[in-house]
Amino acid sequence: MPESSPGPETEYGRELLLLRHGHAVPHGSVEPDFDRPLDARGQSDTAWIARWAVDARAVPDFVVASPAQRARETAEGFCHAAGLSTEGIRWRERIYDSRVSDLLAVLAEVPTEPRRVMLVGHNPGFELVAGLLAHADPHRVRLATATLARIRMPADWGELNAGDGEMIEVVKPPRR
């Protein structure tokens, strides 16, 4: 595991975790694209990133995911590996389209109580929203499959603007 563990869970306050789905079977092998499942690497990487989150004390208390098969398997696999129930996962089809406006609308629906929210979904929207919120060059934020962006956030999920967040770290599983 990385040595970059940030310390106590409360050190950063409110956080957004953007988890891109794990590696899936190739395009065209399953139709429609929405139904493409994770492959063995995707399953393994998802478990690795969940164990990393537990070790780093960066486990979400609220999970919202795309219902696309590869994102569904990633969200459920992450929760299982992190010791979380899958019962509370919120499924939002708008995450599948991955438009920045849709992702911000999904975040605006998050209740005020959660301190650490994880979205599980797709590019290019995840890279774009990470760049927008963390005021980074969106072309420099790279979220490969099963990569987690961890962003410090303001108190109100419903009032998010460009630059409101601060990138804490981007973590990806080791590639074999």
Side-chain angles (χ1 to χ4, degrees):
M1 297 291 157
E3 296 294 324
S4 63
S5 180
E9 198 168 327
T10 57
E11 181 177 340
Y12 293 120
R14 196 168 305 254
E15 291 180 12
L16 172 62
L17 306 174
L18 294 173
L19 177 59
R20 183 171 174 212
H21 64 77
H23 197 268
V25 300
H27 289 279
S29 62
V30 174
E31 292 295 335
D33 176 71
F34 191 86
D35 294 335
R36 286 192 307 126
L38 295 181
D39 61 15
R41 179 179 131 197
Q43 293 168 1
S44 173
D45 287 352
T46 296
W48 187 94
I49 206 75
R51 288 189 304 273
W52 177 88
V54 169
D55 289 349
R57 289 176 262 172
V59 174
D61 51 359
F62 195 85
V63 179
V64 187
S66 162
Q69 187 64 30
R70 58 195 178 276
R72 178 178 290 277
E73 289 179 22
T74 300
E76 291 173 343
F78 180 99
C79 288
H80 286 299
L84 302 173
S85 170
T86 59
E87 296 295 316
I89 298 172
R90 277 66 169 188
W91 306 104
R92 299 293 183 266
E93 189 139 351
R94 289 185 295 183
I95 297 174
Y96 178 70
D97 290 331
S98 200
R99 289 189 295 258
V100 170
S101 60
D102 288 336
L103 296 173
L104 292 175
V106 167
L107 285 171
E109 296 171 356
V110 171
T112 57
E113 298 81 30
R115 303 291 305 157
R116 186 173 290 118
V117 172
M118 182 170 75
L119 297 186
V120 181
H122 315 271
N123 275 341
F126 271 35
E127 290 176 347
L128 294 172
V129 84
L132 174 79
L133 292 174
H135 202 46
D137 178 352
H139 302 291
R140 298 192 64 153
V141 177
R142 295 285 178 236
L143 299 179
T145 55
T147 296
L148 182 93
R150 191 172 177 198
I151 305 169
R152 182 180 297 125
M153 298 298 293
D156 188 350
W157 296 110
E159 294 293 325
L160 298 177
N161 298 296
D164 277 353
E166 178 184 348
M167 187 67 72
I168 299 168
E169 60 193 326
V170 175
V171 180
K172 64 181 181 177
R175 299 297 182 216
R176 290 159 200 67

